[in-house]
Amino acid sequence: MDINKKKVAPQSVLHLISGGDKGGAKTHVFTLLTALSEEIDVTVACFMEGVFYNEVKNLPIKSILLKQKFRNDLTIINPLVSHIKKENYDIIHAHGARANFIAMFLRPFIDKPIVTTIHSDYNLDFTENIYKKYVYTSLNKVSLSFADYYIAVSNNFKQMLVERNYESNKIFTVYNTIDFEQKPEIENEQNFFKTFPHTVREKIKKETSASTPPNTVGIIGRFDKVKGHEIFIKAAAIVLKYEPNTIFLLAGEGPEEQNLKKLAKNLNIEKNIIFLGFVEDIFSFINVININVLTSYSESFPYVLLEGALLKKPTISTAVGGVTDLIKENKTGMLANPGDYKQIAKKIIALIKNKPHAEKLGKNLFEHASKNFSKESMKRRHIEIYEEILNDKFDIVLSGYYGFDNSGDDALLKAVIETIRKYKPDVRILVLSKQPKQTMEEHNVKAINRYDYVSISKYFKASKLFIYGGGSLIQDATSTKSLFYYTFLLKLAKRSGMKLMVYGNGIGPINKITNIKRAKEALALCDYISLREDGSYKEIKALGINTDKVTLTVDPAFALEPGETKFRAKKEFFIVSCRNWKDNDPYLADKIAHVVLEKSIEYDLEPIYMPMHENDKEILERIMRKAKVRGRMLEVKSVSEMIAIIKEARFVLSMRLHTLVYAISTNTPVIGISYDPKVDYFIKYAGQKFCLDAGNLNFRKLERVIDYIEKNYEELKQDIEKNSKRLKSLSENDAKAAIELLKNK
């Protein structure tokens, strides 16, 4: 796709769906098609005459039927391809396994982007039948791999796709919605129940004829194992012991129906359990129940909860999928763990006994849902997604010292991406990296070569926000060449119409007069500058930059959390992390080795040598040899594992900035050895005392510092914890600022 072309807006979209869908998927697509048709041309193609097709053809939405003789009938491909070429749709949008299968066979014949909505966990779609489970699920998995983009109906489903190796950059999130301004036609209770068979009507009449109206608890959904109806029935058995004047209504049909009826009979509660069969008039059903319940083991973002919200029904649900974004415990409803029927029962009883509270939860649910899950928001988000797809547009282009196998800079990239995604899960990020393939695999983003200026220029014109994500980039201590590169990108991004952000950076030192001028010009173009310590703030003030757009935060890596590790220490240990540097004390390795030997023996500690870059190993191996004390070189690729190991260390002795950052973030005492002002700046900003000069290392002082740490250990830990909390509280501010810049773009 030519990303230099003029911005393209979607004009027409073809939606593919089987035609037999009902329930949540039908409601979703009806709502979406109706909303989208207000602004763009939409057509829906169905492949069977079922519930969906029979209803959609009566709506003011263009529809076509390409009827398959059987599920995998591919004779419809040619007429479908002809239709797509004739109408020249911008995008093909599939819904469901059958539509995904058809879309896969369109791929060789059409040059249109294909997007599919993930309405459910596709591994659980056909659990009612062994043949379907293995054949249809397998076909759907293959079909999904041919789609270009994916829309997940909850953040949980997006995460599910990422964990299954789908590229995060190609996944968007749009929650299910309904029209909260609608006023559905609702039958009164008497007329509603008239539509059911005589035996069902008699049972309802018998159970509701008491002088005191019964409590009515309902559940809607196909009788599949994944929906957990047996949990609903087991909970009912407990509820009836305490609230016998209660009936439980089950609306639905499916393969588990007979097993569920048998369970109700075995529990001796069948007179209070009423199976209504398939209910078409969902709102009238919800209207007759007092409490709406969902007991699924897995869900995306179930429509039944939104439909209940529209009628302000108190709701109890298992905490699955995106449910927790709608149901907030004891605020907009009640939550239970999947499979926990005792918890479900307890919460049903609580709502029955406290009807005013139940009513309040129902009202709160309506207010929360109508504000955050509206039809208008669904429409706008889909149109935005279509635009991003057509224009191959990115929200953010991230640049830094990425792809150089430097653990600290890779940690920065991980921290920036994860923190921004926390506030905007479907953010589209492009990373400039020396090793794009490696960056894409490790961080689930799109990446291009940081020196591919032709592609960089093109993508800058198609993106919104340019971010320098951490590090000391604007400085000439490394080289003038690197400073020229980073300032050039800032100027190019500004000329391309992007917003500019410096995210938790260190600034300086900048020594050459021409470089000072170059840095000042580039930084003055930025819309937001955040600095990781006050030393950099002084540097930027010295450059004469307007400090109104400058804020002091913290190194982005403070947002990272420790992970799991298989490392097991034989005894207490400390970390040594050093690097070769042109201005190092010529006897640096000897001096550190002497201290390591003396203090390892004195305090019975094991030295653990931790390289942050491949080049660090040489100096660490020298120290280890000269120290002549048992120790280990620990090469750790995972940042989260590295943090976990540092968290367990007695203290950290390091020249590497991010080893020190990880230590402070996990309340581990530090001794900095400064080869660059950024190390001094950080130690001071973090409220720590110990930083020695790498150019002239005073090993006697280093010994005294270790003695001080050992003698005042608990006091030091408490002091570090206070400073760590202060710094961690700042770690997400930059991500929030980035999202605001995107909103205003």
Side-chain angles (χ1 to χ4, degrees):
M1 187 178 292
D2 181 6
I3 55 179
N4 260 331
K5 65 185 179 181
K6 186 179 179 181
K7 179 180 176 181
V8 177
Q11 301 298 318
S12 60
V13 179
L14 176 65
H15 290 257
L16 308 179
I17 192 167
S18 74
D21 298 77
K22 49 190 175 183
K26 183 192 80 169
T27 305
H28 173 95
V29 181
F30 274 5
T31 305
L32 176 60
L33 293 175
T34 304
L36 287 175
S37 65
E38 297 171 357
E39 293 198 28
I40 62 175
D41 185 17
V42 294
T43 302
V44 59
C46 298
F47 310 114
M48 64 182 288
E49 290 183 278
V51 174
F52 183 95
Y53 176 71
N54 290 328
E55 290 188 32
V56 80
K57 67 183 181 180
N58 295 319
L59 293 177
I61 296 168
K62 287 190 284 187
S63 61
I64 59 172
L65 176 65
L66 297 166
K67 192 171 181 179
Q68 289 181 295
K69 297 172 186 175
F70 49 89
R71 185 181 181 95
N72 296 334
D73 174 18
L74 297 178
T75 60
I76 65 161
I77 296 298
N78 283 338
L80 182 56
V81 169
S82 297
H83 175 76
I84 291 170
K85 289 182 176 179
K86 178 185 175 183
E87 298 296 330
N88 194 28
Y89 295 106
D90 297 312
I91 289 173
I92 310 303
H93 190 156
H95 302 267
R98 188 182 295 219
N100 293 334
F101 180 74
I102 297 298
M104 174 176 65
F105 285 94
L106 295 177
R107 171 55 68 219
F109 306 107
I110 63 168
D111 185 23
K112 303 290 181 183
I114 295 174
V115 58
T116 181
T117 295
I118 307 299
H119 294 275
S120 59
D121 181 347
Y122 51 82
N123 282 341
L124 302 174
D125 280 349
F126 301 102
T127 53
E128 78 281 3
N129 181 290
I130 294 295
Y131 172 80
K132 289 182 178 180
K133 176 178 173 60
Y134 288 101
V135 176
Y136 291 175
T137 299
S138 298
L139 283 175
N140 194 25
K141 286 180 179 179
V142 174
S143 303
L144 285 168
S145 68
F146 281 82
D148 298 302
Y149 299 94
Y150 308 87
I151 297 176
V153 296
S154 73
N155 288 335
N156 299 67
F157 269 33
K158 174 172 182 175
Q159 187 58 37
M160 173 191 77
L161 292 174
V162 170
E163 289 171 357
R164 294 175 185 175
N165 298 317
Y166 288 86
E167 187 180 327
S168 177
N169 222 48
K170 294 184 177 181
I171 309 169
F172 304 91
T173 303
V174 184
Y175 279 85
N176 288 337
T177 59
I178 61 174
D179 184 359
F180 279 93
E181 295 180 2
Q182 67 176 303
K183 299 192 184 320
E185 294 183 9
I186 295 174
E187 292 282 2
N188 64 42
E189 187 172 318
Q190 187 176 2
N191 290 337
F192 173 67
F193 285 129
K194 279 182 182 179
T195 62
F196 296 101
H198 175 74
T199 53
V200 172
R201 295 202 311 271
E202 287 300 309
K203 188 172 184 180
I204 293 169
K205 183 178 179 181
K206 180 179 179 182
E207 296 304 321
T208 58
S209 60
S211 56
T212 303
N215 308 298
T216 52
V217 182
I219 187 170
I220 310 166
R222 181 170 169 77
F223 295 149
D224 285 329
K225 289 182 179 178
V226 72
K227 296 296 183 180
H229 286 87
E230 80 282 2
I231 301 303
F232 181 77
I233 292 173
K234 288 179 180 178
I238 296 174
V239 172
L240 288 167
K241 292 178 182 178
Y242 300 93
E243 298 291 339
N245 189 30
T246 305
I247 60 171
F248 295 84
L249 305 179
L250 292 88
E253 58 186 6
E256 286 296 300
E257 184 169 348
Q258 293 308 313
N259 290 335
L260 295 171
K261 287 180 176 178
K262 184 178 179 181
L263 175 62
K265 185 175 182 180
N266 290 342
L267 292 172
N268 198 29
I269 59 170
E270 69 270 28
K271 71 184 184 70
N272 293 79
I273 303 290
I274 301 174
F275 291 84
L276 298 176
F278 175 70
V279 174
E280 188 170 344
D281 188 353
I282 295 295
F283 285 116
S284 292
F285 171 81
I286 293 173
N287 184 57
V288 303
I289 62 176
N290 302 131
I291 300 170
N292 190 22
V293 177
L294 184 135
T295 54
S296 299
Y297 291 102
S298 174
E299 282 288 354
S300 53
F301 190 74
Y303 263 100
V304 64
L305 299 186
L306 290 173
E307 290 161 336
L310 180 63
L311 297 187
K312 303 179 182 178
K313 289 296 175 178
T315 301
I316 300 168
S317 174
T318 45
V320 292
V323 168
T324 53
D325 293 309
L326 178 65
I327 305 296
K328 308 294 182 183
E329 176 61 24
N330 224 24
K331 293 180 181 177
T332 61
M334 290 186 167
L335 294 167
N337 296 322
D340 193 338
Y341 64 90
K342 292 180 180 178
Q343 202 175 17
I344 295 280
K346 183 178 179 181
K347 299 199 173 199
I348 292 173
I349 293 168
L351 293 185
I352 289 173
K353 289 185 176 296
N354 192 343
K355 288 183 171 54
H357 183 59
E359 184 178 341
K360 180 182 178 182
L361 292 181
K363 289 179 179 178
N364 290 348
L365 178 59
F366 171 81
E367 290 173 4
H368 176 64
S370 59
K371 180 180 178 182
N372 295 284
F373 304 98
S374 68
K375 185 182 80 168
E376 183 64 25
S377 67
M378 175 193 246
K379 175 180 72 175
R380 289 268 33 102
R381 186 60 188 128
H382 271 84
I383 291 175
E384 286 174 3
I385 290 169
Y386 294 155
E387 287 179 349
E388 290 185 34
I389 289 171
L390 291 173
N391 293 284
D392 201 13
K393 188 172 185 177
F394 289 88
D395 294 304
I396 293 170
V397 178
L398 263 178
S399 179
Y401 195 68
Y402 306 140
F404 287 87
D405 294 321
N406 184 302
S407 175
D409 290 287
D410 290 342
L412 289 173
L413 180 57
K414 175 182 172 68
V416 173
I417 291 172
E418 288 184 357
T419 313
I420 290 176
R421 280 179 176 165
K422 179 177 178 179
Y423 292 96
K424 186 175 173 58
D426 56 354
V427 65
R428 299 196 74 214
I429 296 174
L430 174 70
V431 176
L432 309 185
S433 171
K434 186 173 183 290
Q435 300 182 70
K437 184 178 179 182
Q438 178 181 305
T439 298
M440 287 192 285
E441 290 173 353
E442 290 182 2
H443 300 284
N444 215 316
V445 292
K446 182 177 176 64
I448 60 173
N449 192 291
R450 76 198 303 261
Y451 302 118
D452 182 356
Y453 295 109
V454 173
S455 294
I456 289 171
S457 179
K458 289 179 179 180
Y459 278 110
F460 273 12
K461 292 174 183 176
S463 303
K464 301 176 183 177
L465 175 62
F466 179 66
I467 294 179
Y468 276 141
S472 296
L473 307 177
I474 308 300
Q475 48 83 20
D476 63 4
T478 304
S479 70
T480 293
K481 183 179 177 181
S482 71
L483 179 71
F484 182 85
Y485 172 81
Y486 291 118
T487 54
F488 168 75
L489 287 186
L490 283 173
K491 292 176 181 179
L492 180 61
K494 178 57 75 173
R495 285 200 301 271
S496 302
M498 300 177 76
K499 293 272 190 179
L500 306 185
M501 179 178 184
V502 173
Y503 188 122
N505 274 212
I507 303 293
I510 308 170
N511 297 305
K512 295 182 180 178
I513 294 174
T514 54
N515 289 343
I516 291 172
K517 181 181 178 183
R518 184 177 287 121
K520 180 178 179 179
E521 289 173 350
L523 290 169
L525 299 174
C526 294
D527 299 283
Y528 181 97
I529 298 172
S530 74
L531 305 173
R532 66 188 180 191
E533 21 71 12
D534 49 9
S536 292
Y537 191 84
K538 291 173 183 175
E539 292 275 356
I540 214 161
K541 281 185 73 175
L543 288 172
I545 302 299
N546 179 5
T547 55
D548 289 344
K549 58 184 177 183
V550 179
T551 186
L552 195 57
T553 56
V554 72
D555 191 287
F558 264 95
L560 296 173
E561 295 294 335
E564 295 182 359
T565 179
K566 294 180 180 178
F567 171 75
R568 294 294 178 266
K570 298 171 184 175
K571 57 182 177 180
E572 287 197 294
F573 65 96
F574 64 99
I575 302 288
V576 180
S577 181
C578 294
R579 64 169 297 175
N580 283 312
W581 185 247
K582 61 184 188 300
D583 296 324
N584 273 359
D585 185 326
Y587 300 103
L588 182 79
D590 301 81
K591 291 177 178 180
I592 292 177
H594 171 79
V595 175
V596 167
L597 173 61
E598 292 294 322
K599 297 306 171 185
S600 295
I601 295 171
E602 182 176 353
Y603 295 109
D604 192 25
L605 300 173
E606 180 185 8
I608 299 294
Y609 302 92
M610 186 175 283
M612 296 286 279
H613 188 279
E614 185 69 20
N615 295 339
D616 295 354
K617 290 165 66 176
E618 189 272 332
I619 187 171
L620 290 174
E621 285 170 352
R622 271 195 288 140
I623 294 170
M624 189 160 56
R625 284 196 308 271
K626 290 175 179 293
K628 297 180 182 178
V629 64
R630 187 181 295 274
R632 282 180 280 175
M633 181 80 72
L634 206 61
E635 296 183 60
V636 183
K637 298 298 182 184
S638 164
V639 172
S640 59
E641 183 181 7
M642 188 179 291
I643 297 172
I645 294 168
I646 288 173
K647 182 180 180 181
E648 299 303 317
R650 187 74 177 170
F651 61 86
V652 168
L653 168 63
S654 179
M655 291 174 67
R656 285 290 189 181
L657 176 67
H658 282 98
T659 322
L660 299 169
V661 170
Y662 304 155
I664 297 297
S665 72
T666 55
N667 308 326
T668 303
V670 296
I671 307 168
I673 300 178
S674 177
Y675 71 96
D676 183 286
K678 66 183 180 183
V679 178
D680 296 273
Y681 290 161
F682 172 71
I683 291 292
K684 184 178 179 181
Y685 186 56
Q688 301 309 296
K689 304 174 182 178
F690 311 123
C691 191
L692 285 74
D693 182 9
N696 183 21
L697 184 65
N698 185 332
F699 75 93
R700 296 295 184 196
K701 183 176 180 181
L702 179 55
E703 289 178 331
R704 292 195 297 272
V705 167
I706 293 174
D707 291 337
Y708 182 88
I709 289 174
E710 288 299 323
K711 290 173 183 176
N712 300 277
Y713 195 74
E714 292 306 320
E715 181 184 338
L716 279 173
K717 289 275 285 186
Q718 291 174 11
D719 180 65
I720 294 169
E721 186 174 2
K722 290 177 186 176
N723 284 291
S724 177
K725 285 180 179 178
R726 171 178 62 86
L727 297 173
K728 276 184 173 291
S729 69
L730 301 172
S731 65
E732 296 184 356
N733 289 354
D734 291 339
K736 295 174 185 176
I739 301 305
E740 285 303 312
L741 287 173
L742 284 175
K743 287 179 182 177
N744 297 325
K745 174 59 179 167

